[in-house]
Amino acid sequence: MPDPSQHFSLTLRVNGAEHRVAVDARTTLLDALRDRLHLTGTKKGCALGQCGACTVLLDGRRVVSCLMLAVMAEGRLVTTIEGLAQGGELHPVQAAFVEHDAFQCGYCTPGQIMSAVGAIREGRAGSDDEIREQMSGNLCRCGAYANIVAAVRDAAAREG
Amino acid sequence: MNAIIGQPVSRVDGPAKVTGHATYAAEFDLPGLAYAAMVLATIPRGHVRSIDRAAAEAAPGVLAVMTHEDAPRLPYKQIAQRPQVDAQSGEQLHVLQDDQVRFNGEPVAVVVAETLEQAVHAAELVRVEYARSPAVTIFDAKQGRPPSEGNAKAGRVPELGRGDVEGAMREAPVQVEARYVHPREHHNAIEPHVTIAHWEGENLTLYDKTQWVDNDRKEIAHVFGMEEERIRVVSPFVGGAFGSALRTWPHVTLAVMAAKRVRRPVRLELTRRQLYMAVGFRPHSEQHLRLGADKEGRLVALEHDVIQQVGRYEEYAETALSPTSHLYQCDNLRARYRLVEMDTNSPCPMRAPGVVTGVLGLEMAMDELAAELGMDPLELRLRNYAEQDQQKGLPWSSKELRACYETAAERFGWARRKPEPRSMREGGMLIGYGMATAIYHSDRSGGSASVALTGNGMAVVRSASSDMGPGTYTSMTQVAAETLGLPVDHVRFELGDTNLPYAPVHGGSITMASLGNAVVAACRAVQTKLTSLARAAQQGPFAGLAEDAVVAREGGLGRADGSGPVVPYAELLRQHNLGWVEAEGSAQPGEETKKYSSAAFGAIFVEVRVDELLGTVRVPRMIGAYDVGRVINPKTARSQCIGGMVGGLGMALEERAEWDARFGKVMNANLAEYLVPVNADVAEMEAIFVPNDDRNFNPLGVKGLAEVAICGVAPAIANAVWHATGRRIRELPITPERLLG
Ligand code: FES
Ligand code: FES
């Protein structure tokens, strides 16, 4: 049996930058982002794939990074919350979240925003019902859901 | 300058939160950080017979394995005045101090390793043998006993009342009696509890998830027998807590011990599953109510018993009787509070602790009484409106509950409700309208803040408070900006650090009523200081003027008679060659509690749609009107209210810890099986604030908001479900199997 703590040296491509890291085979993409690359905007809520706080875009698709090993992300394009704002300008979804107060504690928020960006890009934010459904993998214990729907609706219309 | 208090200012920390740059406790990057993982007991009671740690110690990357066999013996000194956030009787868990197991999930070992993966893996290699003793793992209401003296003294009284309940009940022409069950609930904030402990010589820094940095420091100082001055606690962002981070839990002590052992900073993050054992929860409760009324619906007798579970090593109790004592006018009343000891980790406050429970029973029973009387449930509340706090014999400092009822009922369209249950439907959907009253007592506590006016025109306001989500950063910025006469973007509020002036606990909805007034005082103090400087100067626009000739206004100082220009603070500082000027201010509760009883109020109206065949309940509309005194920021205040509605929706329809009595353990200890509301569960929600400004309670006129927002939601939903279906489901949550059963 191979040593589970064997280290792999790999290149992670995150937000347009390349990072060389040596990770344990068991390291999740989430932990690699947070603890190795210090990109702590991606949050850990459960590490069980249940809350959505760790959502990132992988080749443009929404994934929960706690259920993916870092080694599986080699060579793929990872976008995290830190990669959304361009030149100090908030991404429209980020701006809409602030405007509509679509959070309280803010801990679920990066995951919510990454999910929203993915859903809008995939054309799955066409109605309030569709937004609610698409965003239901992202738990918000502060209960900001009604404002999240308003923010996503608004951002989808602006990006339209 | 326009008023800033009362404006819907967007969160000042919003950009940090939406870009991922807000730093939560786990995210402080310390060189040489090591990772800890806990091993938790798997029996509900007994002792550790043996621990085989060899495999764990030999595993790659492991720096230390610590158990009761080699953990340092800690002094656990008593705190002279036990903080209100702690259990008021019994003794907190002394972690790794002996071989005893007091509940399933008590830490029995901690492993520290170079990486998280290595620590988690090694923790799984620790082999523990237990000797089990008989445990109490079944809630038996008959075993209820009164809270002990420590709790009674702290306001968790075993009994309260007035008049002759038995006599009045015998004569009451209309009576209802019912029993309600509310299961154990868990906070489940999305951010797990986490601590980074960092020793530098004899000094300790904790990066911790906490709602009260000052108390966190005090607790750890007492546990370790250290001087408080040697400890700094840092906690700038808290990812939700709802009460779970009020007190200092055993894992904080573990992190501190582990960091000392390995001589490196150590991070101990609880896993989602561990959160069901390593921090507290809302205790399981059962309540029994008897209501007696005359034919006009006036309450003549009210009897309310609340029985809750409690741990055995310490006694956490709640103010569950408080709403019954004063929500309605009733001359004959008796309420009793009992605790059932069980072998479990200790419960703790969860949003509106105790009160949400008491309101649940009372407001469900009032609905049953309305049905018995054939009276509109809203009309019943109005007939029993309490013009004063009858239990305390004091007037309310303010009460706009009538306006709440009227506003919310009107907005909701309550008049369209047909009184008969099962009388409104659309196809296969039974429609129900329900309502309930909300109340939460308003408290305040002492606190302080500092304000520095700087030469670049900024004001930096500081206090060791916390912001777990309600928007402390933003609302305090508004209070300071308005008091100083500066725009919001010229004020920065800093919190979450024991190096800042003392702040009271961020809980119980007291933050604004307590600290807001300290911020005002600090702003006034810095203005006074600057005024004195300007008057005492040899030259300058205010040199030599009398004290009352100079006033602060519009971001600077001006002459009281209005002549001459207002000189901005920054310009004055330049004129006097000062980089900044700083002052501290504090605010304490006054005599108001002797003169008044204070509470926030609300009226909640909901519509439910119940699928007759499937038993599923949807809540398409919720409307709440609230009297919370003055509202500092209607945008963030609304977010708190709709957040409370979502919490109440979870309580009514989804949340329940599934308890395995064989092991004394929660079975669904994760977010897929412990159901919480998701986006698709939530539809239209509206929060209305009725105008009020309670200067009798405190100078800012605020009453507090977070707790009242969850009270009344679950009973309104339960009452609506009855109206839709004709079924009284008296045990929460109202699940399809209960509705179909
Ligand atoms: S942390 Fe990945 S889904 Fe919760
Ligand atoms: S904002 Fe706190 S969990 Fe969503």
Side-chain angles (χ1 to χ4, degrees):
Chain A
M1 200 181 111
D3 175 4
S5 62
Q6 185 187 340
H7 276 62
F8 292 85
S9 188
L10 55 122
T11 303
L12 288 175
R13 298 165 70 192
V14 186
N15 303 330
E18 302 210 334
H19 303 265
R20 288 295 295 173
V21 278
V23 297
D24 192 306
R26 299 163 296 191
T27 305
T28 62
L29 176 57
L30 173 62
D31 289 330
L33 289 170
R34 283 173 67 79
D35 293 336
R36 310 304 301 279
L37 305 188
H38 304 295
L39 290 169
T40 54
T42 306
K43 302 303 181 195
K44 181 187 277 190
C46 65
L48 298 167
Q50 299 170 336
C51 75
C54 63
T55 304
V56 299
L57 300 182
L58 191 73
D59 295 332
R61 315 272 309 176
R62 294 165 282 168
V63 297
V64 281
S65 59
C66 69
L67 290 192
M68 166 167 272
L69 297 172
V71 290
M72 296 160 70
E74 168 133 59
R76 325 248 329 239
L77 288 179
V78 181
T79 309
T80 72
I81 191 74
E82 290 94 342
L84 281 189
Q86 295 301 332
E89 219 14 52
L90 293 182
H91 183 279
V93 176
Q94 291 174 315
F97 266 63
V98 174
E99 170 65 26
H100 291 275
D101 208 33
F103 52 90
Q104 287 199 58
C105 75
Y107 197 79
C108 73
T109 310
Q112 303 276 0
I113 290 173
M114 297 315 290
S115 280
V117 169
I120 293 169
R121 272 194 207 154
E122 290 170 29
R124 294 180 199 224
S127 68
D128 284 4
D129 278 344
E130 194 178 23
I131 293 169
R132 287 186 188 114
E133 195 63 35
Q134 289 295 316
M135 296 299 294
S136 277
N138 290 83
L139 301 180
C140 176
R141 194 59 166 151
C142 298
Y145 296 128
N147 293 355
I148 290 169
V149 172
V152 177
R153 182 203 304 135
D154 197 13
R158 269 191 253 169
E159 287 197 356
Chain B
M1 164 127 353
N2 292 329
I4 296 171
I5 291 179
Q7 295 303 309
V9 174
S10 289
R11 282 171 202 267
V12 297
D13 52 342
K17 283 178 173 174
V18 299
T19 55
H21 292 113
T23 307
Y24 297 80
E27 299 165 357
F28 285 83
D29 176 21
L30 299 176
L33 185 67
Y35 298 80
M38 298 191 297
V39 181
L40 305 185
T42 55
I43 59 162
R45 191 172 186 83
H47 67 270
V48 173
R49 221 202 293 264
S50 67
I51 299 185
D52 180 355
R53 54 164 91 195
E57 278 171 344
V62 170
L63 300 168
V65 177
M66 187 161 43
T67 73
H68 73 275
E69 291 161 343
D70 61 339
R73 291 293 159 257
L74 301 175
Y76 277 94
K77 293 200 166 133
Q78 290 295 326
I79 298 178
Q81 167 109 51
R82 206 180 268 204
Q84 279 281 0
V85 294
D86 285 3
Q88 294 298 310
S89 299
E91 188 53 40
Q92 67 169 297
L93 188 73
H94 291 196
V95 67
L96 299 188
Q97 299 298 296
D98 59 31
D99 64 352
Q100 295 300 302
V101 174
R102 293 153 192 86
F103 60 87
N104 195 324
E106 176 172 348
V108 292
V110 61
V111 177
V112 189
E114 293 287 350
T115 70
L116 179 61
E117 295 77 21
Q118 289 167 337
V120 170
H121 177 63
E124 282 163 8
L125 299 176
V126 176
R127 289 277 159 268
V128 186
E129 299 284 338
Y130 298 98
R132 231 183 121 145
S133 321
V136 183
T137 56
I138 293 173
F139 182 89
D140 177 2
K142 288 193 294 296
Q143 301 303 318
R145 57 147 179 91
S148 49
E149 211 183 309
N151 267 309
K153 275 198 194 132
R156 282 79 169 143
V157 294
E159 186 160 340
L160 59 81
R162 53 193 181 250
D164 170 18
V165 179
E166 288 307 327
M169 196 70 84
R170 264 196 307 275
E171 321 245 295
V174 186
Q175 297 185 16
V176 295
E177 178 168 2
R179 183 176 152 272
Y180 305 99
V181 179
H182 182 195
R184 170 171 172 150
E185 286 183 343
H186 290 262
H187 307 73
N188 275 314
I190 302 299
E191 181 199 25
H193 283 253
V194 59
T195 305
I196 298 173
H198 183 206
W199 286 94
E200 290 159 294
E202 294 300 304
N203 295 324
L204 172 67
T205 304
L206 292 172
Y207 303 87
D208 196 18
K209 171 173 180 143
T210 173
Q211 293 168 245
W212 197 5
V213 289
D214 286 315
N215 192 60
D216 211 19
R217 166 166 75 176
K218 177 178 284 176
E219 298 265 5
I220 291 302
H222 281 75
V223 169
F224 286 85
M226 299 169 62
E227 292 161 25
E228 283 184 40
E229 293 66 39
R230 296 203 171 278
I231 304 174
R232 178 178 175 204
V233 180
V234 178
S235 184
F237 289 96
V238 174
F242 316 107
S244 69
L246 289 168
R247 67 180 295 190
T248 302
W249 297 107
H251 69 268
V252 182
T253 297
L254 274 184
V256 175
M257 281 199 275
K260 187 129 208 167
R261 170 71 56 93
V262 302
R263 298 171 180 279
R264 282 168 59 173
V266 167
R267 185 175 89 196
L268 176 50
E269 186 168 29
L270 305 188
T271 66
R272 180 55 54 182
R273 292 183 200 286
Q274 288 172 343
L275 287 165
Y276 289 74
M277 302 172 266
V279 300
F281 57 92
R282 193 194 295 292
H284 175 97
S285 68
E286 298 191 9
Q287 30 188 334
H288 182 254
L289 279 111
R290 284 169 77 200
L291 268 50
D294 65 17
K295 292 238 164 61
E296 283 70 52
R298 280 184 296 263
L299 283 171
V300 295
L302 205 177
E303 198 177 351
H304 191 173
D305 288 275
V306 182
I307 309 160
Q308 287 186 323
Q309 74 179 147
V310 68
R312 281 173 73 180
Y313 54 99
E314 65 176 5
E315 187 185 287
Y316 165 74
E318 305 191 323
T319 51
L321 308 183
S322 129
T324 292
S325 78
H326 57 198
L327 186 51
Y328 296 110
Q329 170 77 24
C330 180
D331 293 342
N332 305 291
L333 181 143
R334 182 169 62 227
R336 273 178 303 232
Y337 182 59
R338 296 291 180 265
L339 297 168
V340 175
E341 289 182 15
M342 291 176 69
D343 288 305
T344 168
N345 52 316
S346 189
C348 79
M350 179 166 162
R351 201 168 189 176
V355 175
V356 84
T357 310
V359 167
L360 175 76
L362 182 59
E363 287 299 286
M364 287 176 75
M366 284 295 276
D367 205 65
E368 302 207 28
L369 179 62
E372 190 67 30
L373 284 156
M375 183 178 285
D376 181 279
L378 173 56
E379 178 60 27
L380 178 66
R381 266 84 175 180
L382 289 169
R383 291 207 182 172
N384 291 287
Y385 196 82
E387 299 291 355
Q388 60 157 348
D389 183 332
Q390 211 179 353
Q391 189 63 33
K392 289 187 186 156
L394 291 173
W396 301 106
S397 56
S398 73
K399 180 175 180 177
E400 294 297 332
L401 178 56
R402 245 190 217 102
C404 295
Y405 287 135
E406 277 163 21
T407 315
E410 161 78 30
R411 182 86 192 148
F412 182 83
W414 182 251
R416 291 198 302 271
R417 178 182 188 265
K418 296 192 188 140
E420 280 302 302
R422 295 185 74 88
S423 61
M424 294 165 67
R425 68 159 69 221
E426 237 178 69
M429 287 292 173
L430 298 168
I431 299 173
Y433 287 3
M435 59 85 56
T437 315
I439 184 170
Y440 194 84
H441 52 271
S442 298
D443 280 331
R444 54 188 293 230
S445 185
S448 47
S450 68
V451 178
L453 295 172
T454 66
N456 62 4
M458 287 290 295
V460 183
V461 186
R462 298 186 173 100
S463 180
S465 191
S466 172
D467 188 348
M468 62 170 153
T472 315
Y473 277 112
T474 310
S475 54
M476 292 299 171
T477 298
Q478 287 176 260
V479 168
E482 173 150 327
T483 313
L484 294 168
L486 290 172
V488 164
D489 60 4
H490 283 50
V491 177
R492 191 172 77 232
F493 187 76
E494 295 178 354
L495 53 69
D497 189 331
T498 46
N499 284 350
L500 306 180
Y502 177 85
V505 61
H506 179 50
S509 303
I510 72 165
T511 298
M512 185 50 76
S514 308
L515 199 59
N517 289 296
V519 167
V520 172
C523 291
R524 299 252 185 270
V526 83
Q527 286 168 332
T528 306
K529 196 161 171 181
L530 194 56
T531 306
S532 312
L533 276 169
R535 285 172 39 240
Q538 296 298 322
Q539 46 193 317
F542 308 110
L545 290 182
E547 193 175 342
D548 55 2
V550 186
V551 292
R553 62 163 182 255
E554 292 151 32
L557 302 184
R559 286 176 184 249
D561 61 11
S563 66
V566 172
V567 185
Y569 304 126
E571 200 178 313
L572 275 166
L573 290 173
R574 270 196 301 277
Q575 285 174 8
H576 297 288
N577 283 324
L578 290 169
W580 77 92
V581 55
E582 186 170 11
E584 236 182 88
S586 63
Q588 308 294 333
E591 294 289 292
E592 65 276 350
T593 54
K594 296 198 185 108
K595 289 193 261 177
Y596 301 105
S597 180
S598 296
F601 300 93
I604 322 297
F605 290 76
V606 305
E607 176 183 326
V608 300
R609 290 181 173 232
V610 183
D611 187 310
E612 208 176 356
L613 295 175
L614 297 176
T616 47
V617 180
R618 309 283 304 170
V619 187
R621 284 195 305 141
M622 284 202 214
I623 291 174
Y626 306 90
D627 164 18
V628 294
R630 192 151 168 233
V631 174
I632 304 294
N633 182 331
K635 191 175 203 166
T636 51
R638 176 179 171 277
S639 290
Q640 280 202 71
C641 288
I642 65 170
M645 288 180 192
V646 173
L649 186 147
M651 180 188 298
L653 303 177
E654 294 168 350
E655 294 186 41
R656 165 175 56 188
E658 304 281 0
W659 182 251
D660 187 337
R662 292 170 307 166
F663 300 103
K665 183 174 180 174
V666 175
M667 291 185 281
N668 56 341
N670 62 78
L671 287 168
E673 293 168 284
Y674 180 100
L675 301 186
V676 299
V678 302
N679 203 318
D681 294 330
V682 168
E684 192 188 321
M685 293 184 159
E686 192 177 332
I688 305 163
F689 300 104
V690 303
N692 193 8
D693 188 346
D694 192 343
R695 306 283 168 127
N696 288 332
F697 174 49
N698 67 87
L700 260 182
V702 300
K703 294 205 280 192
L705 159 56
E707 327 288 323
V708 76
I710 196 171
C711 295
V713 178
I717 293 173
N719 296 343
V721 168
W722 170 79
H723 183 238
T725 64
R727 299 278 312 276
R728 293 277 179 202
I729 307 297
R730 299 186 177 89
E731 179 165 356
L732 299 187
I734 302 169
T735 53
E737 64 270 24
R738 283 184 174 145
L739 264 177
L740 294 175

